[in-house]
Amino acid sequence: MILKVIAVVVVIFLIYILLFKKNREKDITKKKNEKITDEMVECPSCKTYVSQKEAILSNGKFYCSKECLINK
């Protein structure tokens, strides 16, 4: 009787592992396929590069900080 219960538990565990392993592989491949869309832009004041998402846009130019924006 105990052997039957252990066998059923092992089979259920194996099915569980197989189902969730496939889902984890899909999640990993989705993460690998995501592309980086951020672009680096040069600050016209200090000539350093900053992420376009983090830059300050003023008059069509990207600045790295408020100090560079003020000291145009």
Side-chain angles (χ1 to χ4, degrees), residues 42-71:
E42 185 179 9
C43 175
S45 180
C46 66
K47 305 297 183 197
T48 60
Y49 284 88
V50 65
S51 168
Q52 188 173 5
K53 291 181 181 178
E54 296 176 2
I56 300 169
L57 179 62
S58 177
N59 294 329
K61 296 179 181 178
F62 291 98
Y63 293 90
C64 65
S65 65
K66 291 180 182 179
E67 290 81 18
C68 284
L69 177 61
I70 293 169
N71 296 329

Side-chain angles (χ1 to χ4, degrees), residues 12-72:
I12 291 173
F13 179 72
L14 291 174
I15 291 172
Y16 174 81
I17 289 176
L18 290 175
L19 290 177
F20 284 97
K21 184 177 180 183
K22 289 182 182 180
N23 289 338
R24 281 188 274 145
E25 288 175 359
K26 288 178 184 177
D27 291 340
I28 291 170
T29 56
K30 284 181 184 177
K31 289 179 183 177
K32 286 183 181 178
N33 290 337
E34 291 178 359
K35 295 183 180 179
I36 299 172
T37 58
D38 196 14
E39 187 176 330
M40 300 297 284
V41 291
E42 185 179 9
C43 175
S45 180
C46 66
K47 305 297 183 197
T48 60
Y49 284 88
V50 65
S51 168
Q52 188 173 5
K53 291 181 181 178
E54 296 176 2
I56 300 169
L57 179 62
S58 177
N59 294 329
K61 296 179 181 178
F62 291 98
Y63 293 90
C64 65
S65 65
K66 291 180 182 179
E67 290 81 18
C68 284
L69 177 61
I70 293 169
N71 296 329
K72 298 183 203 182

